[in-house]
mmCIF file of all heavy atoms in Angstrom:
data_model
loop_
_atom_site.group_PDB
_atom_site.id
_atom_site.type_symbol
_atom_site.label_atom_id
_atom_site.label_comp_id
_atom_site.label_asym_id
_atom_site.label_seq_id
_atom_site.Cartn_x
_atom_site.Cartn_y
_atom_site.Cartn_z
ATOM 1 N N GLN A 1 0.844 -1.216 0.041
ATOM 2 C CA GLN A 1 -0.029 -0.072 -0.006
ATOM 3 C C GLN A 1 0.833 1.347 -0.044
ATOM 4 O O GLN A 1 0.637 2.131 -0.765
ATOM 5 C CB GLN A 1 -0.955 0.004 1.228
ATOM 6 C CG GLN A 1 -2.225 -0.625 1.097
ATOM 7 C CD GLN A 1 -3.011 -0.428 2.211
ATOM 8 O OE1 GLN A 1 -2.561 -0.355 3.372
ATOM 9 N NE2 GLN A 1 -4.308 -0.270 2.120
ATOM 10 N N GLN A 2 1.851 1.271 0.863
ATOM 11 C CA GLN A 2 2.811 2.477 0.950
ATOM 12 C C GLN A 2 3.526 2.616 -0.448
ATOM 13 O O GLN A 2 3.663 3.748 -0.835
ATOM 14 C CB GLN A 2 3.808 2.228 1.986
ATOM 15 C CG GLN A 2 4.707 3.415 2.323
ATOM 16 C CD GLN A 2 5.599 3.105 3.442
ATOM 17 O OE1 GLN A 2 5.448 2.102 4.089
ATOM 18 N NE2 GLN A 2 6.399 4.199 3.668
ATOM 19 N N LEU A 3 3.962 1.511 -0.970
ATOM 20 C CA LEU A 3 4.607 1.593 -2.141
ATOM 21 C C LEU A 3 3.681 2.293 -3.379
ATOM 22 O O LEU A 3 4.128 3.146 -4.000
ATOM 23 C CB LEU A 3 5.079 0.257 -2.854
ATOM 24 C CG LEU A 3 5.736 0.247 -4.154
ATOM 25 C CD1 LEU A 3 7.109 1.052 -4.097
ATOM 26 C CD2 LEU A 3 6.031 -1.167 -4.516
ATOM 27 N N TYR A 4 2.478 1.815 -3.467
ATOM 28 C CA TYR A 4 1.721 2.191 -4.520
ATOM 29 C C TYR A 4 0.877 3.483 -4.274
ATOM 30 O O TYR A 4 0.480 4.165 -5.190
ATOM 31 C CB TYR A 4 0.689 1.088 -4.950
ATOM 32 C CG TYR A 4 1.546 -0.104 -5.582
ATOM 33 C CD1 TYR A 4 1.540 -1.366 -4.907
ATOM 34 C CD2 TYR A 4 2.145 0.035 -6.638
ATOM 35 C CE1 TYR A 4 2.472 -2.264 -5.446
ATOM 36 C CE2 TYR A 4 2.893 -0.976 -7.244
ATOM 37 C CZ TYR A 4 2.943 -2.155 -6.606
ATOM 38 O OH TYR A 4 3.764 -3.140 -7.165
ATOM 39 N N ARG A 5 0.700 3.930 -3.008
ATOM 40 C CA ARG A 5 0.055 5.209 -2.695
ATOM 41 C C ARG A 5 1.140 6.246 -2.742
ATOM 42 O O ARG A 5 1.001 7.353 -3.189
ATOM 43 C CB ARG A 5 -0.590 5.085 -1.303
ATOM 44 C CG ARG A 5 -1.809 4.333 -1.313
ATOM 45 C CD ARG A 5 -2.479 4.574 -0.029
ATOM 46 N NE ARG A 5 -3.832 3.866 -0.006
ATOM 47 C CZ ARG A 5 -4.511 3.627 1.050
ATOM 48 N NH1 ARG A 5 -3.968 3.959 2.258
ATOM 49 N NH2 ARG A 5 -5.583 2.918 0.938
ATOM 50 N N HIS A 6 2.326 6.119 -2.185
ATOM 51 C CA HIS A 6 3.307 7.055 -1.969
ATOM 52 C C HIS A 6 4.635 6.964 -2.818
ATOM 53 O O HIS A 6 5.500 7.880 -2.786
ATOM 54 C CB HIS A 6 3.734 7.312 -0.560
ATOM 55 C CG HIS A 6 2.542 7.484 0.293
ATOM 56 N ND1 HIS A 6 1.800 8.552 0.473
ATOM 57 C CD2 HIS A 6 2.041 6.528 1.347
ATOM 58 C CE1 HIS A 6 0.743 8.430 1.368
ATOM 59 N NE2 HIS A 6 0.846 7.173 1.823
ATOM 60 N N GLY A 7 4.631 5.811 -3.399
ATOM 61 C CA GLY A 7 5.825 5.485 -4.293
ATOM 62 C C GLY A 7 7.149 5.255 -3.429
ATOM 63 O O GLY A 7 8.207 5.413 -3.974
ATOM 64 N N LYS A 8 7.022 4.961 -2.146
ATOM 65 C CA LYS A 8 8.192 4.672 -1.320
ATOM 66 C C LYS A 8 8.445 3.196 -0.998
ATOM 67 O O LYS A 8 7.565 2.518 -0.637
ATOM 68 C CB LYS A 8 8.007 5.471 0.091
ATOM 69 C CG LYS A 8 7.970 6.927 -0.074
ATOM 70 C CD LYS A 8 7.825 7.470 1.263
ATOM 71 C CE LYS A 8 7.749 9.019 1.091
ATOM 72 N NZ LYS A 8 7.480 9.741 2.377
ATOM 73 N N ALA A 9 9.595 2.805 -1.340
ATOM 74 C CA ALA A 9 10.007 1.432 -1.111
ATOM 75 C C ALA A 9 11.306 1.399 -0.190
ATOM 76 O O ALA A 9 12.184 2.268 -0.551
ATOM 77 C CB ALA A 9 10.264 0.517 -2.296
ATOM 78 N N TYR A 10 11.399 0.561 0.789
ATOM 79 C CA TYR A 10 12.461 0.702 1.726
ATOM 80 C C TYR A 10 13.380 -0.661 1.571
ATOM 81 O O TYR A 10 14.535 -0.679 1.951
ATOM 82 C CB TYR A 10 12.085 0.794 3.092
ATOM 83 C CG TYR A 10 11.313 2.030 3.416
ATOM 84 C CD1 TYR A 10 9.981 2.223 3.586
ATOM 85 C CD2 TYR A 10 12.081 3.286 3.343
ATOM 86 C CE1 TYR A 10 9.268 3.316 3.650
ATOM 87 C CE2 TYR A 10 11.347 4.532 3.550
ATOM 88 C CZ TYR A 10 10.020 4.509 3.636
ATOM 89 O OH TYR A 10 9.403 5.722 3.906
ATOM 90 N N ARG A 11 12.815 -1.596 0.860
ATOM 91 C CA ARG A 11 13.661 -2.795 0.708
ATOM 92 C C ARG A 11 13.618 -3.166 -0.792
ATOM 93 O O ARG A 11 12.610 -2.945 -1.494
ATOM 94 C CB ARG A 11 12.855 -4.027 1.340
ATOM 95 C CG ARG A 11 12.710 -3.957 2.803
ATOM 96 C CD ARG A 11 11.737 -4.986 3.413
ATOM 97 N NE ARG A 11 12.437 -5.870 4.364
ATOM 98 C CZ ARG A 11 12.022 -6.811 4.881
ATOM 99 N NH1 ARG A 11 10.727 -7.248 4.666
ATOM 100 N NH2 ARG A 11 12.644 -7.550 5.636
ATOM 101 N N PHE A 12 14.874 -3.511 -1.237
ATOM 102 C CA PHE A 12 15.049 -3.880 -2.667
ATOM 103 C C PHE A 12 15.784 -5.216 -2.855
ATOM 104 O O PHE A 12 16.441 -5.616 -2.100
ATOM 105 C CB PHE A 12 15.892 -2.762 -3.175
ATOM 106 C CG PHE A 12 15.205 -1.335 -3.139
ATOM 107 C CD1 PHE A 12 15.536 -0.396 -2.110
ATOM 108 C CD2 PHE A 12 14.420 -0.919 -4.195
ATOM 109 C CE1 PHE A 12 14.938 0.733 -2.085
ATOM 110 C CE2 PHE A 12 13.655 0.260 -4.144
ATOM 111 C CZ PHE A 12 14.058 1.193 -3.039
ATOM 112 N N ILE A 13 15.427 -5.715 -3.993
ATOM 113 C CA ILE A 13 16.129 -6.873 -4.511
ATOM 114 C C ILE A 13 16.556 -6.574 -5.970
ATOM 115 O O ILE A 13 15.777 -6.404 -6.928
ATOM 116 C CB ILE A 13 15.141 -8.078 -4.558
ATOM 117 C CG1 ILE A 13 14.593 -8.438 -3.082
ATOM 118 C CG2 ILE A 13 15.836 -9.259 -5.204
ATOM 119 C CD1 ILE A 13 13.694 -9.599 -3.117
ATOM 120 N N PHE A 14 17.816 -6.382 -6.034
ATOM 121 C CA PHE A 14 18.483 -5.931 -7.263
ATOM 122 C C PHE A 14 17.830 -4.818 -7.926
ATOM 123 O O PHE A 14 17.575 -4.755 -9.159
ATOM 124 C CB PHE A 14 18.548 -7.100 -8.299
ATOM 125 C CG PHE A 14 19.537 -8.272 -7.801
ATOM 126 C CD1 PHE A 14 18.939 -9.466 -7.375
ATOM 127 C CD2 PHE A 14 20.896 -8.086 -7.548
ATOM 128 C CE1 PHE A 14 19.758 -10.476 -6.812
ATOM 129 C CE2 PHE A 14 21.601 -9.051 -7.066
ATOM 130 C CZ PHE A 14 21.225 -10.245 -6.697
ATOM 131 N N GLY A 15 17.544 -3.782 -7.151
ATOM 132 C CA GLY A 15 16.985 -2.501 -7.787
ATOM 133 C C GLY A 15 15.487 -2.604 -7.810
ATOM 134 O O GLY A 15 14.987 -1.494 -8.096
ATOM 135 N N PHE A 16 14.908 -3.645 -7.675
ATOM 136 C CA PHE A 16 13.352 -3.739 -7.724
ATOM 137 C C PHE A 16 12.786 -3.594 -6.388
ATOM 138 O O PHE A 16 13.396 -4.089 -5.340
ATOM 139 C CB PHE A 16 12.925 -4.986 -8.481
ATOM 140 C CG PHE A 16 13.287 -5.125 -9.861
ATOM 141 C CD1 PHE A 16 14.386 -5.871 -10.169
ATOM 142 C CD2 PHE A 16 12.674 -4.349 -10.786
ATOM 143 C CE1 PHE A 16 14.730 -5.920 -11.486
ATOM 144 C CE2 PHE A 16 13.092 -4.433 -12.233
ATOM 145 C CZ PHE A 16 14.069 -5.295 -12.534
ATOM 146 N N SER A 17 11.631 -3.081 -6.257
ATOM 147 C CA SER A 17 11.009 -3.148 -4.835
ATOM 148 C C SER A 17 10.827 -4.585 -4.291
ATOM 149 O O SER A 17 10.282 -5.439 -5.066
ATOM 150 C CB SER A 17 9.570 -2.387 -5.051
ATOM 151 O OG SER A 17 8.857 -2.761 -3.829
ATOM 152 N N ALA A 18 11.343 -4.892 -3.126
ATOM 153 C CA ALA A 18 11.167 -6.149 -2.605
ATOM 154 C C ALA A 18 9.780 -6.565 -2.521
ATOM 155 O O ALA A 18 9.494 -7.916 -2.712
ATOM 156 C CB ALA A 18 11.902 -6.329 -1.242
ATOM 157 N N VAL A 19 8.825 -5.762 -2.129
ATOM 158 C CA VAL A 19 7.428 -6.194 -1.963
ATOM 159 C C VAL A 19 6.893 -6.587 -3.444
ATOM 160 O O VAL A 19 6.046 -7.563 -3.308
ATOM 161 C CB VAL A 19 6.605 -5.094 -1.157
ATOM 162 C CG1 VAL A 19 6.385 -3.883 -2.133
ATOM 163 C CG2 VAL A 19 5.295 -5.726 -0.733
ATOM 164 N N SER A 20 7.209 -5.829 -4.383
ATOM 165 C CA SER A 20 6.732 -6.237 -5.671
ATOM 166 C C SER A 20 7.215 -7.618 -6.155
ATOM 167 O O SER A 20 6.505 -8.365 -6.651
ATOM 168 C CB SER A 20 7.098 -5.206 -6.796
ATOM 169 O OG SER A 20 6.581 -3.857 -6.385
ATOM 170 N N VAL A 21 8.451 -7.784 -5.975
ATOM 171 C CA VAL A 21 9.083 -8.974 -6.420
ATOM 172 C C VAL A 21 8.496 -10.207 -5.629
ATOM 173 O O VAL A 21 8.134 -11.336 -6.127
ATOM 174 C CB VAL A 21 10.677 -9.089 -6.229
ATOM 175 C CG1 VAL A 21 11.212 -10.400 -6.386
ATOM 176 C CG2 VAL A 21 11.348 -7.924 -7.088
ATOM 177 N N MET A 22 8.306 -9.973 -4.297
ATOM 178 C CA MET A 22 7.790 -11.071 -3.424
ATOM 179 C C MET A 22 6.271 -11.413 -3.693
ATOM 180 O O MET A 22 5.974 -12.426 -3.458
ATOM 181 C CB MET A 22 8.105 -10.869 -1.842
ATOM 182 C CG MET A 22 9.606 -10.723 -1.606
ATOM 183 S SD MET A 22 10.639 -12.058 -2.331
ATOM 184 C CE MET A 22 10.034 -13.319 -1.391
ATOM 185 N N TYR A 23 5.577 -10.346 -4.049
ATOM 186 C CA TYR A 23 4.214 -10.599 -4.472
ATOM 187 C C TYR A 23 4.161 -11.383 -5.699
ATOM 188 O O TYR A 23 3.214 -12.243 -5.843
ATOM 189 C CB TYR A 23 3.352 -9.336 -4.528
ATOM 190 C CG TYR A 23 2.478 -8.995 -3.354
ATOM 191 C CD1 TYR A 23 2.707 -7.845 -2.660
ATOM 192 C CD2 TYR A 23 1.367 -9.799 -3.030
ATOM 193 C CE1 TYR A 23 1.927 -7.695 -1.599
ATOM 194 C CE2 TYR A 23 0.672 -9.404 -1.963
ATOM 195 C CZ TYR A 23 0.860 -8.414 -1.140
ATOM 196 O OH TYR A 23 0.078 -8.115 -0.106
ATOM 197 N N LEU A 24 5.074 -11.119 -6.544
ATOM 198 C CA LEU A 24 5.082 -11.925 -7.852
ATOM 199 C C LEU A 24 5.311 -13.470 -7.495
ATOM 200 O O LEU A 24 4.723 -14.372 -8.016
ATOM 201 C CB LEU A 24 6.110 -11.371 -8.724
ATOM 202 C CG LEU A 24 6.315 -12.095 -10.137
ATOM 203 C CD1 LEU A 24 4.965 -11.930 -11.009
ATOM 204 C CD2 LEU A 24 7.389 -11.502 -10.838
ATOM 205 N N VAL A 25 6.276 -13.539 -6.538
ATOM 206 C CA VAL A 25 6.640 -14.923 -6.135
ATOM 207 C C VAL A 25 5.434 -15.533 -5.497
ATOM 208 O O VAL A 25 5.151 -16.786 -5.763
ATOM 209 C CB VAL A 25 7.761 -14.985 -5.101
ATOM 210 C CG1 VAL A 25 8.029 -16.305 -4.575
ATOM 211 C CG2 VAL A 25 9.083 -14.532 -5.972
ATOM 212 N N VAL A 26 4.656 -14.778 -4.595
ATOM 213 C CA VAL A 26 3.493 -15.372 -4.024
ATOM 214 C C VAL A 26 2.428 -15.782 -4.885
ATOM 215 O O VAL A 26 1.828 -16.963 -4.900
ATOM 216 C CB VAL A 26 2.869 -14.356 -2.940
ATOM 217 C CG1 VAL A 26 1.457 -14.757 -2.462
ATOM 218 C CG2 VAL A 26 3.821 -14.210 -1.747
ATOM 219 N N VAL A 27 2.210 -14.948 -5.920
ATOM 220 C CA VAL A 27 1.209 -15.252 -6.968
ATOM 221 C C VAL A 27 1.596 -16.407 -7.704
ATOM 222 O O VAL A 27 0.793 -17.393 -7.856
ATOM 223 C CB VAL A 27 0.980 -13.996 -7.867
ATOM 224 C CG1 VAL A 27 0.218 -14.329 -9.079
ATOM 225 C CG2 VAL A 27 0.289 -12.901 -7.175
#
């Protein structure tokens, strides 16, 4: 929510937002 509302990410995996990468893994 914080990433998509405010564009802030605090964790990264090779330059990508960790939450986005991990949601992809979860799906």
Side-chain angles (χ1 to χ4, degrees):
Q1 268 187 324
Q2 184 175 1
L3 174 66
Y4 293 111
R5 283 189 182 164
H6 307 293
K8 294 181 183 178
Y10 299 105
R11 298 169 117 182
F12 296 95
I13 297 178
F14 296 113
F16 296 102
S17 162
V19 72
S20 299
V21 171
M22 296 316 287
Y23 258 115
L24 180 64
V25 168
V26 166
V27 167

